[in-house]
Amino acid sequence: MAHTPYYLIDKSKLLRNMEKIAYVREHSGAKALLALKCFATWSVFDFMSDYMDGTTSSSLYEVKLGRAKFGKETHAYSVAYSDDEIKEVIENADKIIFNSISQLTRFADAASGIVRGLRLNPQVSTSSFDLADPARPFSRLGEWDVAKVEAVMDRISGFMIHNNCENSDFDLFDKMLTDIEDKFRSLLSRVEWVSLGGGIHFTGENYPIDKFCARLRAFSEKYGVQVYLEPGEASITKSTTLEVTVLDTLFNGKNLAIVDSSIEAHMLDLLIYREPAKIEPNTGNHPYMICGKSCLAGDVFGEFSFENAIKVGDRISIQDAAGYTMVKKNWFNGVGMPSIVIKELDGSERVIREFTFDDYVSSLS
């Protein structure tokens, strides 16, 4: 058994998401690409690839990882490509999606041998965080002027449109897709494929998945396009925990428990978006603030209720710890980086990666 902290990926829970993705693929005709910016733990790619069509990326390294470890379709997207990486991006991609008309113009000839696309920005989104809102004022993410896009239609065969963020509301998705149609109708009918990006929480509980499939199929048939989805969180939601151990307890107006992990180092999005972690069942008469071990004063997982008083040595499982965690983990304070463990379908657990002092040293210079 691995020493805590470690990320525990449960394949039986991951399978539930994969089966829902497979259902959507079958009943909507859409293809599903894993968004590597959210989850890139390639030791489960062989498992996931049976249920998905490939990967989509945000950088050269993600493109190369998708090609090498996942296989199948490899979509390349970046906010901006540099001259010294474009050749390698093209060598590892089936489709390349440009963020702007200027990047498309600059690299269209170099990318003439693969499928080319352009990102559109419908200027509306579901994001409640300005930091993550692709349609925020003065956004650099995609083109929105139809006339300008029409002038380069001979250079592309598809679009990527990403404006959903943690959207679990089908009616809102439907409304925004209608808005996309209203804005870009003249363009949609002239391309072969359209990616609707990620952020659609269609693998969540009680999501009206049949309505979702019907809406995607209707969109596909109306414009004669292959629809792509880019599930990140939807692929891995509720599949993984961060296993930690209590190192100390103290009282400073509230009961505190310090664990052998850190939100800044191991679950950075909690800090960025000022959101609490999830602990289940979160019931009982013993409230505690669960704190990280770094020296950052605000390194706090959140406040939770427990059935029993917490003591040193107790194990705690932080829920829903797959998305935007392992891809963002860092060496702040030199805090030991969590191992990565897979729980197989038969219940056995396998340590697939442990990080050592040598990894810490080699990440610096």
Side-chain angles (χ1 to χ4, degrees), residues 77 98-100 118-121 134 139-144:
Y77 166 78
F98 294 100
N99 183 67
S100 67
L118 181 69
R119 179 169 184 170
L120 299 182
N121 188 331
S139 173
R140 72 200 193 285
L141 302 175
E143 298 282 357
W144 54 85

Side-chain angles (χ1 to χ4, degrees), residues 76 81 86 89-90 93-98 111 114-118:
Y81 298 106
I86 190 68
V89 169
I90 292 166
D94 300 300
K95 288 184 176 67
I96 185 167
I97 300 162
F98 294 100
I114 64 172
V115 176
R116 297 168 300 190
L118 181 69

Side-chain angles (χ1 to χ4, degrees), residues 261-264 271 290-301:
S261 181
S262 161
I263 62 167
E264 180 159 21
L271 185 66
I290 305 301
C291 307
K293 67 176 292 184
S294 81
C295 66
L296 179 71
D299 191 354
V300 176
F301 285 88

